[in-house]
Amino acid sequence: MYKIDYHIHTVYSPDGKATPDEQISAAVSAGLSEIAFTDHCECNNNEAIPPDFERWFDFDPDSYIQAIKKTDKKGLRVKIGIELGQATQNKAFAESVLSGYEWDVVLGSLHNLRNNYDFYYLGLLGVDMRSLMKDYFEQLYELVCFDCFDVLAHLYYPVKYISETDKGFDIHVYNCEICDILKKLAENGKALEINTSALAGNYGNTVPDMEFLKMFRQLGGEFVTIGSDSHVCSFVGYGVSKTTEVLREIGYSAITTYEKRQPILREI
Ligand SMILES: [Zn+2]
Ligand SMILES: [Zn+2]
């Protein structure tokens, strides 16, 4: 089985706790075949940000890339990527980051709505996030239409935080909005990430769940990646074996990896 973790953070993210070398050792111990480092590059530094979030905009691509190049890969395939947040909220900045460096893979993410805080932070503030989901999917659709990424990360990011307090929330009420997004992704030849981080919390499922993976496949979606969104060593490769098996069961015979932003299919 070809096992990948294509969403890994390091100390080059403000919330990352492990060095690139430590994450590589963890990936080798977890029996992974290939990983991608995807540290945060948030584009919306001209928008509302919570107190103490200034540091989120200190990302330095040069030192990050150099640090990964210097690591001992220990026989592992290691790719250099970024998690590009809110690209549509500052398109010129997003384009300069994409054209200024040679990335292997770019994740597209939406962590906050325009002029609003990261959903993580809204969760801490006890904000009713259900009422924001319509806006979330509208702005995510806009992101998917902007050619600025290879893999769409955590399709419904806010759900992880909604589930902490709101047990009755059912993401399937947004099937239509999600269907439109998956259709556009498939049409544009982009990959869908299966984010395993919420398997560990109250939500207890991957984002997206397998019903949406099946929908993506039916809509012609060919490219799928798996990412743990690990910020610590102990989480690298979390849920990857089981998720890869489920992918096979629903008819995918390959997982997608990237080199210089070109997809490479690896048989699973
Ligand atoms: Zn993210
Ligand atoms: Zn992440």
Side-chain angles (χ1 to χ4, degrees):
M1 183 190 279
Y2 199 84
K3 292 196 279 183
I4 68 164
D5 188 339
Y6 252 54
H7 193 150
I8 294 181
H9 294 277
T10 74
V11 288
Y12 287 86
S13 289
D15 53 353
K17 309 284 184 227
T19 64
D21 279 303
E22 289 167 339
Q23 295 294 57
I24 287 171
S25 298
V28 170
S29 303
L32 299 180
S33 318
E34 177 166 342
I35 63 166
F37 286 113
T38 54
D39 273 308
H40 285 293
C41 178
E42 302 285 89
C43 299
N44 58 308
N45 56 350
N46 56 347
E47 303 287 345
I49 50 169
D52 189 38
F53 263 51
E54 296 286 349
R55 66 203 164 89
W56 279 79
F57 306 104
D58 293 340
F59 180 63
D60 173 10
D62 290 304
S63 30
Y64 167 61
I65 292 168
Q66 282 317 310
I68 296 173
K69 283 188 173 164
K70 273 192 229 154
T71 54
D72 173 2
K73 309 297 184 292
K74 299 181 162 63
L76 188 71
R77 286 198 172 103
V78 176
K79 300 299 170 61
I80 306 178
I82 41 166
E83 180 176 5
L84 195 66
Q86 299 77 245
T88 47
Q89 295 175 26
N90 192 344
K91 289 186 174 181
F93 177 80
E95 277 161 352
S96 72
V97 171
L98 294 182
S99 61
Y101 305 91
E102 197 171 64
W103 305 110
D104 285 317
V105 62
V106 177
L107 307 186
S109 292
L110 184 64
H111 298 121
N112 67 267
L113 299 176
R114 273 199 181 78
N115 300 310
N116 210 329
Y117 293 167
D118 189 306
F119 283 97
Y120 161 79
Y121 200 74
L122 294 181
L124 297 179
L125 292 171
V127 169
D128 171 23
M129 287 178 276
R130 270 193 198 218
S131 62
L132 301 175
M133 288 305 285
K134 200 102 187 140
D135 290 342
Y136 173 78
F137 284 119
E138 268 176 33
Q139 294 187 28
L140 191 66
Y141 187 79
E142 197 191 325
L143 178 74
V144 168
C145 293
F146 179 40
D147 187 18
C148 63
F149 68 92
D150 307 306
V151 182
L152 183 66
H154 42 57
L155 174 64
Y156 33 85
Y157 172 72
V159 171
K160 192 170 158 183
Y161 304 113
I162 293 176
S163 304
E164 294 300 319
T165 52
D166 192 345
K167 304 279 182 275
F169 180 79
D170 180 10
I171 188 62
H172 293 269
V173 299
Y174 295 101
N175 272 8
C176 291
E177 289 82 353
I178 292 175
C179 183
D180 288 345
I181 287 165
L182 296 182
K183 208 170 174 179
K184 187 55 92 181
L185 266 187
E187 269 172 26
N188 291 354
K190 305 292 184 189
L192 178 63
E193 172 190 86
I194 313 173
N195 189 299
T196 60
S197 69
L199 275 171
N202 275 349
Y203 183 60
N205 210 334
T206 54
V207 173
D209 65 35
M210 289 302 150
E211 291 309 309
F212 292 119
L213 254 297
K214 285 180 194 164
M215 186 190 275
F216 185 54
R217 189 166 161 73
Q218 281 160 6
L219 292 165
E222 186 187 1
F223 303 130
V224 175
T225 69
I226 299 175
S228 68
D229 215 339
S230 168
H231 292 70
V232 294
C233 291
S234 57
F235 212 75
V236 172
Y238 183 80
V240 167
S241 298
K242 194 167 171 269
T243 306
T244 309
E245 273 169 28
V246 179
L247 258 186
R248 273 182 187 164
E249 283 164 23
I250 64 171
Y252 279 94
S253 57
I255 195 90
T256 309
T257 63
Y258 284 84
E259 193 162 322
K260 294 180 184 162
R261 304 198 58 199
Q262 293 304 311
I264 301 167
L265 291 171
R266 300 272 181 193
E267 210 176 301
I268 51 176

